Amino acid sequence: MNLRRILILGCFAAALTTLSAQEKQQEQLSLSLEQAKEYAISFNRNLKMSDLSVQKAYKAKWQSIASMLPHANATLNYNNYLGYEMDFSGMVIPMNPSGDLTIQATIAITGMQVVGVQMSKMAIEMSETNKNLTELDVKGNVVTGYLSVLIAEESKRLLQDTRNNVQKLFETTSNLYKVGMLEQTDVDQLDVQLGTLDNNIRSVERNIELAYNALRLILGSDSAQIVLTETLDNLIARDNAYQILATPFDLKSNYNVQLLNQNIELSKKQLNLKKWEYGPTLSAFYQYYGRTTFGESEGLSMTPPHAIGASLNIPIFSSGERLSKVQQAKFDVKTAQVTKDEAVEGLLVQEKQLRFNLKSALETYEVQKKNVDVYERIFKNMSQKYELGVASSTDLTTVSNNLISAQSSYISSLMDLLTAQVNLQKLLNNL
């Protein structure tokens, strides 16, 4: 019996372990950069809100259309006069309890309603453009987040390599100190150097975790285990940056410019809306009326069972109120045009600045990359001299600090290159 229970418990534990492993496997995301963009487009919360705004704009369009279509209302009434009778010169008319049904259908059409439908269509276009702009921002954030993780991991790798080399020298120095060939200060200097590197590595590890958390937030997946499948060298390539620099700037494809153009058109529609306040309003109705009397006599009814009607409301005089609204709307159109012109000039200046920033960042990156290579060779040569007793521990520590400083500058140049590249890509709508 005990053996049977043990086997059952073992199978149960194995099943739980399998389910747990499957859950962990389901939560793991292995993503290339393009896959990360696609994932963010599907699950990013800001994009979901933008999509809801587009859907809301479509519903608002139908609301505008429905205002020009017939509307119908039904009314049910019950009246009881508690036995009251009307007396007309000896003629008694009983007021029996009764029930009324009134159905009325109405329709009203103005030019303002037509313009309102056109404005609702413009609202849809602007909502979709805003969604595209949000999607572009999300893609840029994904690229930044993805590369930030890889850069942080590259920083850790560089520090770890330096730390491994210093560790070997520390062990060699410790052994030489034990046999009396070196002093305690030589060991202490390398020990301090190891402690500094360990602190730097731990700091970078925290930065890596922060970068992963930021990427999870952008992707819209808070608890997923993310595995990046692309390398830094593949993503930040020299030809890639030069290719971006060679990409022309098309103002028509810029979503901000599109929004400004749509805003001008919307202002024009609003001007037409104010002009149509001079226009007439045509309305019509049909009414059905039915009464049921709860008694021997139907009593008196003054309402006909069927009725139709139409009216035409023509504005005549408003003491200049409508004219003032039209003039204000004209100023709004001109203001929208000036705003667009100013924004376009700013975008053209921004394009030149972003191209300059990317060129400068690329040049700095190439210099810092060579600088790291040089200091790695210097550190290697100094390490060999130190082992041969030609260089002191102070010389080695100085070169090691220079190498760490060069690596830090290299990582900083990578981040600057990333920022400059993404900013230009967003402007060019090339993400």
PDB file of all heavy atoms in Angstrom, residues 101-127:
ATOM      1  N   LEU A 101     -52.654  55.234 -28.513  1.00  0.00           N
ATOM      2  CA  LEU A 101     -51.385  54.855 -29.147  1.00  0.00           C
ATOM      3  C   LEU A 101     -51.060  55.896 -30.202  1.00  0.00           C
ATOM      4  O   LEU A 101     -51.844  56.126 -31.128  1.00  0.00           O
ATOM      5  CB  LEU A 101     -51.474  53.469 -29.787  1.00  0.00           C
ATOM      6  CG  LEU A 101     -50.297  53.081 -30.684  1.00  0.00           C
ATOM      7  CD1 LEU A 101     -49.006  52.998 -29.862  1.00  0.00           C
ATOM      8  CD2 LEU A 101     -50.560  51.761 -31.415  1.00  0.00           C
ATOM      9  N   THR A 102     -49.901  56.534 -30.063  1.00  0.00           N
ATOM     10  CA  THR A 102     -49.460  57.541 -31.033  1.00  0.00           C
ATOM     11  C   THR A 102     -48.097  57.121 -31.585  1.00  0.00           C
ATOM     12  O   THR A 102     -47.159  56.862 -30.821  1.00  0.00           O
ATOM     13  CB  THR A 102     -49.341  58.930 -30.393  1.00  0.00           C
ATOM     14  OG1 THR A 102     -50.601  59.291 -29.814  1.00  0.00           O
ATOM     15  CG2 THR A 102     -48.943  59.967 -31.427  1.00  0.00           C
ATOM     16  N   ILE A 103     -47.986  57.026 -32.901  1.00  0.00           N
ATOM     17  CA  ILE A 103     -46.720  56.711 -33.569  1.00  0.00           C
ATOM     18  C   ILE A 103     -46.382  57.882 -34.479  1.00  0.00           C
ATOM     19  O   ILE A 103     -47.199  58.275 -35.334  1.00  0.00           O
ATOM     20  CB  ILE A 103     -46.814  55.411 -34.372  1.00  0.00           C
ATOM     21  CG1 ILE A 103     -47.139  54.233 -33.438  1.00  0.00           C
ATOM     22  CG2 ILE A 103     -45.509  55.151 -35.117  1.00  0.00           C
ATOM     23  CD1 ILE A 103     -47.348  52.927 -34.173  1.00  0.00           C
ATOM     24  N   GLN A 104     -45.208  58.422 -34.310  1.00  0.00           N
ATOM     25  CA  GLN A 104     -44.811  59.581 -35.106  1.00  0.00           C
ATOM     26  C   GLN A 104     -43.441  59.330 -35.716  1.00  0.00           C
ATOM     27  O   GLN A 104     -42.492  58.964 -35.023  1.00  0.00           O
ATOM     28  CB  GLN A 104     -44.778  60.845 -34.254  1.00  0.00           C
ATOM     29  CG  GLN A 104     -44.555  62.119 -35.073  1.00  0.00           C
ATOM     30  CD  GLN A 104     -44.622  63.369 -34.218  1.00  0.00           C
ATOM     31  OE1 GLN A 104     -43.882  63.493 -33.255  1.00  0.00           O
ATOM     32  NE2 GLN A 104     -45.526  64.291 -34.574  1.00  0.00           N
ATOM     33  N   ALA A 105     -43.340  59.520 -37.025  1.00  0.00           N
ATOM     34  CA  ALA A 105     -42.070  59.408 -37.753  1.00  0.00           C
ATOM     35  C   ALA A 105     -41.701  60.783 -38.277  1.00  0.00           C
ATOM     36  O   ALA A 105     -42.538  61.480 -38.862  1.00  0.00           O
ATOM     37  CB  ALA A 105     -42.193  58.414 -38.900  1.00  0.00           C
ATOM     38  N   THR A 106     -40.424  61.184 -38.048  1.00  0.00           N
ATOM     39  CA  THR A 106     -39.977  62.514 -38.466  1.00  0.00           C
ATOM     40  C   THR A 106     -38.659  62.402 -39.229  1.00  0.00           C
ATOM     41  O   THR A 106     -37.888  61.453 -39.051  1.00  0.00           O
ATOM     42  CB  THR A 106     -39.764  63.429 -37.251  1.00  0.00           C
ATOM     43  OG1 THR A 106     -38.769  62.855 -36.402  1.00  0.00           O
ATOM     44  CG2 THR A 106     -41.063  63.605 -36.480  1.00  0.00           C
ATOM     45  N   ILE A 107     -38.429  63.381 -40.047  1.00  0.00           N
ATOM     46  CA  ILE A 107     -37.153  63.485 -40.754  1.00  0.00           C
ATOM     47  C   ILE A 107     -36.847  64.963 -40.955  1.00  0.00           C
ATOM     48  O   ILE A 107     -37.742  65.760 -41.237  1.00  0.00           O
ATOM     49  CB  ILE A 107     -37.190  62.738 -42.114  1.00  0.00           C
ATOM     50  CG1 ILE A 107     -35.794  62.762 -42.772  1.00  0.00           C
ATOM     51  CG2 ILE A 107     -38.243  63.306 -43.029  1.00  0.00           C
ATOM     52  CD1 ILE A 107     -35.708  61.879 -44.021  1.00  0.00           C
ATOM     53  N   ALA A 108     -35.578  65.319 -40.767  1.00  0.00           N
ATOM     54  CA  ALA A 108     -35.153  66.709 -40.955  1.00  0.00           C
ATOM     55  C   ALA A 108     -33.787  66.699 -41.648  1.00  0.00           C
ATOM     56  O   ALA A 108     -32.890  65.955 -41.259  1.00  0.00           O
ATOM     57  CB  ALA A 108     -35.061  67.436 -39.614  1.00  0.00           C
ATOM     58  N   ILE A 109     -33.668  67.498 -42.672  1.00  0.00           N
ATOM     59  CA  ILE A 109     -32.441  67.517 -43.469  1.00  0.00           C
ATOM     60  C   ILE A 109     -31.963  68.958 -43.614  1.00  0.00           C
ATOM     61  O   ILE A 109     -32.734  69.855 -43.984  1.00  0.00           O
ATOM     62  CB  ILE A 109     -32.663  66.902 -44.866  1.00  0.00           C
ATOM     63  CG1 ILE A 109     -33.098  65.437 -44.738  1.00  0.00           C
ATOM     64  CG2 ILE A 109     -31.393  66.989 -45.705  1.00  0.00           C
ATOM     65  CD1 ILE A 109     -33.415  64.779 -46.061  1.00  0.00           C
ATOM     66  N   THR A 110     -30.654  69.156 -43.324  1.00  0.00           N
ATOM     67  CA  THR A 110     -30.010  70.456 -43.531  1.00  0.00           C
ATOM     68  C   THR A 110     -28.643  70.215 -44.166  1.00  0.00           C
ATOM     69  O   THR A 110     -28.093  69.105 -44.102  1.00  0.00           O
ATOM     70  CB  THR A 110     -29.831  71.215 -42.204  1.00  0.00           C
ATOM     71  OG1 THR A 110     -28.896  70.502 -41.385  1.00  0.00           O
ATOM     72  CG2 THR A 110     -31.150  71.352 -41.466  1.00  0.00           C
ATOM     73  N   GLY A 111     -28.109  71.266 -44.736  1.00  0.00           N
ATOM     74  CA  GLY A 111     -26.756  71.169 -45.280  1.00  0.00           C
ATOM     75  C   GLY A 111     -25.731  70.926 -44.188  1.00  0.00           C
ATOM     76  O   GLY A 111     -24.679  70.307 -44.421  1.00  0.00           O
ATOM     77  N   MET A 112     -26.008  71.383 -42.983  1.00  0.00           N
ATOM     78  CA  MET A 112     -25.096  71.182 -41.864  1.00  0.00           C
ATOM     79  C   MET A 112     -24.929  69.696 -41.559  1.00  0.00           C
ATOM     80  O   MET A 112     -23.842  69.250 -41.170  1.00  0.00           O
ATOM     81  CB  MET A 112     -25.611  71.923 -40.626  1.00  0.00           C
ATOM     82  CG  MET A 112     -25.651  73.437 -40.782  1.00  0.00           C
ATOM     83  SD  MET A 112     -26.347  74.271 -39.333  1.00  0.00           S
ATOM     84  CE  MET A 112     -25.097  73.884 -38.117  1.00  0.00           C
ATOM     85  N   GLN A 113     -25.994  68.910 -41.735  1.00  0.00           N
ATOM     86  CA  GLN A 113     -25.901  67.472 -41.500  1.00  0.00           C
ATOM     87  C   GLN A 113     -24.990  66.807 -42.529  1.00  0.00           C
ATOM     88  O   GLN A 113     -24.206  65.916 -42.199  1.00  0.00           O
ATOM     89  CB  GLN A 113     -27.293  66.846 -41.543  1.00  0.00           C
ATOM     90  CG  GLN A 113     -28.181  67.236 -40.380  1.00  0.00           C
ATOM     91  CD  GLN A 113     -29.592  66.740 -40.550  1.00  0.00           C
ATOM     92  OE1 GLN A 113     -30.226  66.996 -41.583  1.00  0.00           O
ATOM     93  NE2 GLN A 113     -30.106  66.044 -39.537  1.00  0.00           N
ATOM     94  N   VAL A 114     -25.085  67.238 -43.765  1.00  0.00           N
ATOM     95  CA  VAL A 114     -24.224  66.679 -44.815  1.00  0.00           C
ATOM     96  C   VAL A 114     -22.757  66.976 -44.516  1.00  0.00           C
ATOM     97  O   VAL A 114     -21.889  66.109 -44.615  1.00  0.00           O
ATOM     98  CB  VAL A 114     -24.622  67.238 -46.194  1.00  0.00           C
ATOM     99  CG1 VAL A 114     -23.676  66.714 -47.274  1.00  0.00           C
ATOM    100  CG2 VAL A 114     -26.062  66.861 -46.521  1.00  0.00           C
ATOM    101  N   VAL A 115     -22.492  68.224 -44.131  1.00  0.00           N
ATOM    102  CA  VAL A 115     -21.121  68.581 -43.766  1.00  0.00           C
ATOM    103  C   VAL A 115     -20.672  67.813 -42.533  1.00  0.00           C
ATOM    104  O   VAL A 115     -19.507  67.410 -42.421  1.00  0.00           O
ATOM    105  CB  VAL A 115     -21.013  70.101 -43.519  1.00  0.00           C
ATOM    106  CG1 VAL A 115     -19.600  70.465 -43.067  1.00  0.00           C
ATOM    107  CG2 VAL A 115     -21.365  70.876 -44.784  1.00  0.00           C
ATOM    108  N   GLY A 116     -21.595  67.565 -41.601  1.00  0.00           N
ATOM    109  CA  GLY A 116     -21.258  66.796 -40.409  1.00  0.00           C
ATOM    110  C   GLY A 116     -20.803  65.386 -40.743  1.00  0.00           C
ATOM    111  O   GLY A 116     -19.871  64.858 -40.120  1.00  0.00           O
ATOM    112  N   VAL A 117     -21.436  64.776 -41.735  1.00  0.00           N
ATOM    113  CA  VAL A 117     -21.002  63.442 -42.185  1.00  0.00           C
ATOM    114  C   VAL A 117     -19.602  63.508 -42.784  1.00  0.00           C
ATOM    115  O   VAL A 117     -18.752  62.650 -42.531  1.00  0.00           O
ATOM    116  CB  VAL A 117     -22.004  62.866 -43.209  1.00  0.00           C
ATOM    117  CG1 VAL A 117     -21.480  61.565 -43.803  1.00  0.00           C
ATOM    118  CG2 VAL A 117     -23.359  62.622 -42.549  1.00  0.00           C
ATOM    119  N   GLN A 118     -19.350  64.541 -43.576  1.00  0.00           N
ATOM    120  CA  GLN A 118     -18.016  64.705 -44.156  1.00  0.00           C
ATOM    121  C   GLN A 118     -16.961  64.904 -43.068  1.00  0.00           C
ATOM    122  O   GLN A 118     -15.856  64.372 -43.146  1.00  0.00           O
ATOM    123  CB  GLN A 118     -18.017  65.897 -45.124  1.00  0.00           C
ATOM    124  CG  GLN A 118     -18.918  65.705 -46.334  1.00  0.00           C
ATOM    125  CD  GLN A 118     -19.017  66.953 -47.194  1.00  0.00           C
ATOM    126  OE1 GLN A 118     -18.631  68.048 -46.774  1.00  0.00           O
ATOM    127  NE2 GLN A 118     -19.541  66.807 -48.394  1.00  0.00           N
ATOM    128  N   MET A 119     -17.313  65.657 -42.019  1.00  0.00           N
ATOM    129  CA  MET A 119     -16.382  65.871 -40.915  1.00  0.00           C
ATOM    130  C   MET A 119     -16.138  64.584 -40.140  1.00  0.00           C
ATOM    131  O   MET A 119     -15.021  64.336 -39.665  1.00  0.00           O
ATOM    132  CB  MET A 119     -16.924  66.957 -39.976  1.00  0.00           C
ATOM    133  CG  MET A 119     -16.942  68.346 -40.582  1.00  0.00           C
ATOM    134  SD  MET A 119     -17.697  69.593 -39.499  1.00  0.00           S
ATOM    135  CE  MET A 119     -16.490  69.628 -38.171  1.00  0.00           C
ATOM    136  N   SER A 120     -17.141  63.739 -40.023  1.00  0.00           N
ATOM    137  CA  SER A 120     -16.945  62.463 -39.337  1.00  0.00           C
ATOM    138  C   SER A 120     -16.008  61.557 -40.129  1.00  0.00           C
ATOM    139  O   SER A 120     -15.231  60.800 -39.549  1.00  0.00           O
ATOM    140  CB  SER A 120     -18.292  61.780 -39.103  1.00  0.00           C
ATOM    141  OG  SER A 120     -18.907  61.428 -40.327  1.00  0.00           O
ATOM    142  N   LYS A 121     -16.076  61.649 -41.461  1.00  0.00           N
ATOM    143  CA  LYS A 121     -15.124  60.895 -42.284  1.00  0.00           C
ATOM    144  C   LYS A 121     -13.701  61.413 -42.063  1.00  0.00           C
ATOM    145  O   LYS A 121     -12.754  60.617 -41.991  1.00  0.00           O
ATOM    146  CB  LYS A 121     -15.500  61.004 -43.765  1.00  0.00           C
ATOM    147  CG  LYS A 121     -16.800  60.300 -44.135  1.00  0.00           C
ATOM    148  CD  LYS A 121     -17.097  60.455 -45.619  1.00  0.00           C
ATOM    149  CE  LYS A 121     -18.389  59.745 -46.004  1.00  0.00           C
ATOM    150  NZ  LYS A 121     -18.714  59.917 -47.457  1.00  0.00           N
ATOM    151  N   MET A 122     -13.566  62.737 -41.960  1.00  0.00           N
ATOM    152  CA  MET A 122     -12.247  63.300 -41.681  1.00  0.00           C
ATOM    153  C   MET A 122     -11.741  62.842 -40.307  1.00  0.00           C
ATOM    154  O   MET A 122     -10.543  62.580 -40.126  1.00  0.00           O
ATOM    155  CB  MET A 122     -12.320  64.830 -41.713  1.00  0.00           C
ATOM    156  CG  MET A 122     -12.529  65.430 -43.095  1.00  0.00           C
ATOM    157  SD  MET A 122     -11.147  65.073 -44.198  1.00  0.00           S
ATOM    158  CE  MET A 122      -9.773  65.690 -43.231  1.00  0.00           C
ATOM    159  N   ALA A 123     -12.656  62.735 -39.343  1.00  0.00           N
ATOM    160  CA  ALA A 123     -12.261  62.276 -38.010  1.00  0.00           C
ATOM    161  C   ALA A 123     -11.723  60.844 -38.054  1.00  0.00           C
ATOM    162  O   ALA A 123     -10.776  60.502 -37.343  1.00  0.00           O
ATOM    163  CB  ALA A 123     -13.451  62.373 -37.052  1.00  0.00           C
ATOM    164  N   ILE A 124     -12.325  60.013 -38.913  1.00  0.00           N
ATOM    165  CA  ILE A 124     -11.834  58.635 -39.073  1.00  0.00           C
ATOM    166  C   ILE A 124     -10.421  58.641 -39.643  1.00  0.00           C
ATOM    167  O   ILE A 124      -9.532  57.930 -39.168  1.00  0.00           O
ATOM    168  CB  ILE A 124     -12.787  57.831 -39.972  1.00  0.00           C
ATOM    169  CG1 ILE A 124     -14.127  57.604 -39.273  1.00  0.00           C
ATOM    170  CG2 ILE A 124     -12.161  56.494 -40.353  1.00  0.00           C
ATOM    171  CD1 ILE A 124     -15.164  56.924 -40.134  1.00  0.00           C
ATOM    172  N   GLU A 125     -10.211  59.454 -40.678  1.00  0.00           N
ATOM    173  CA  GLU A 125      -8.883  59.531 -41.299  1.00  0.00           C
ATOM    174  C   GLU A 125      -7.834  60.008 -40.297  1.00  0.00           C
ATOM    175  O   GLU A 125      -6.719  59.476 -40.235  1.00  0.00           O
ATOM    176  CB  GLU A 125      -8.929  60.462 -42.508  1.00  0.00           C
ATOM    177  CG  GLU A 125      -9.776  59.940 -43.665  1.00  0.00           C
ATOM    178  CD  GLU A 125      -9.819  60.919 -44.820  1.00  0.00           C
ATOM    179  OE1 GLU A 125      -9.075  61.929 -44.759  1.00  0.00           O
ATOM    180  OE2 GLU A 125     -10.580  60.693 -45.772  1.00  0.00           O
ATOM    181  N   MET A 126      -8.191  61.000 -39.479  1.00  0.00           N
ATOM    182  CA  MET A 126      -7.245  61.520 -38.490  1.00  0.00           C
ATOM    183  C   MET A 126      -6.977  60.482 -37.404  1.00  0.00           C
ATOM    184  O   MET A 126      -5.838  60.344 -36.920  1.00  0.00           O
ATOM    185  CB  MET A 126      -7.779  62.816 -37.887  1.00  0.00           C
ATOM    186  CG  MET A 126      -7.900  63.951 -38.880  1.00  0.00           C
ATOM    187  SD  MET A 126      -8.501  65.507 -38.167  1.00  0.00           S
ATOM    188  CE  MET A 126      -7.038  66.051 -37.290  1.00  0.00           C
ATOM    189  N   SER A 127      -7.999  59.727 -37.018  1.00  0.00           N
ATOM    190  CA  SER A 127      -7.801  58.676 -36.019  1.00  0.00           C
ATOM    191  C   SER A 127      -6.880  57.593 -36.546  1.00  0.00           C
ATOM    192  O   SER A 127      -6.005  57.084 -35.825  1.00  0.00           O
ATOM    193  CB  SER A 127      -9.152  58.066 -35.617  1.00  0.00           C
ATOM    194  OG  SER A 127      -9.973  59.021 -34.996  1.00  0.00           O
TER     195      SER A 127
END
